Amino acid sequence: MKKFDDLPEFDPADYLNDDATIVAYLIETAKEHDPRAMQKAIGVVARTKIGMTALARSIGAGRESLYKALSENGNAEFATIMKVLDALGIDMEFKMRESHEPEHA
C-alpha cells in the first residue's frame, strides 16, 4: 500500500493543455482573492505556455527572479504581473459582482 508521502506532487501545469483550460484555471484561482495563489497560478501558466527562459527574455527580466516572483512565496510587483500577462497573450477583464453593493460616503 502506497503511503501519502509517496504520491507525486500535484502540478496543475500537467492539465493546462489548451487556452480555455488556462483561462478557467486563472478565473478559479482569482476567485480565491489570494494574491500569492494568483501569482503562483500565473507562474504555472507561464511555465506551461512559453517557459520561464523565453518569458524572461520577452519581458527583459532574469529567469531566476521570475521563478521567485511568480511563486507562492514571491512578491511580484503589479507591473511585472502585467508584463507577464502581456507576454502570455492574456488580458484581464473586470466586472462587478452581482452581490456587490457600493458603499456611500
Side-chain angles (χ1 to χ4, degrees):
M1 182 170 169
K2 276 193 163 190
K3 294 182 182 179
F4 184 73
D5 293 338
D6 294 338
L7 295 174
E9 187 173 330
F10 175 76
D11 185 357
D14 295 337
Y15 302 93
L16 302 178
N17 301 320
D18 56 56
D19 289 346
T21 306
I22 289 170
V23 169
Y25 173 61
L26 292 173
I27 288 170
E28 289 304 311
T29 303
K31 288 178 183 179
E32 295 176 21
H33 300 280
D34 180 349
R36 295 198 187 274
M38 194 69 214
Q39 69 190 19
K40 180 180 178 183
I42 292 169
V44 169
V45 170
R47 281 191 297 118
T48 301
K49 252 183 113 53
I50 64 174
M52 293 304 242
T53 300
L55 176 61
R57 270 192 233 115
S58 175
I59 68 169
R63 186 177 64 87
E64 290 301 318
S65 63
L66 271 180
Y67 269 113
K68 183 177 178 184
L70 297 176
S71 71
E72 195 169 21
N73 297 319
N75 192 18
E77 292 184 11
F78 192 67
T80 301
I81 296 292
M82 296 301 295
K83 286 179 186 178
V84 168
L85 291 174
D86 185 55
L88 296 173
I90 297 172
D91 291 325
M92 286 194 316
E93 294 184 11
F94 299 94
K95 67 177 185 168
M96 296 299 292
R97 291 187 301 264
E98 290 179 24
S99 64
H100 178 74
E101 293 188 27
E103 295 181 24
H104 297 282

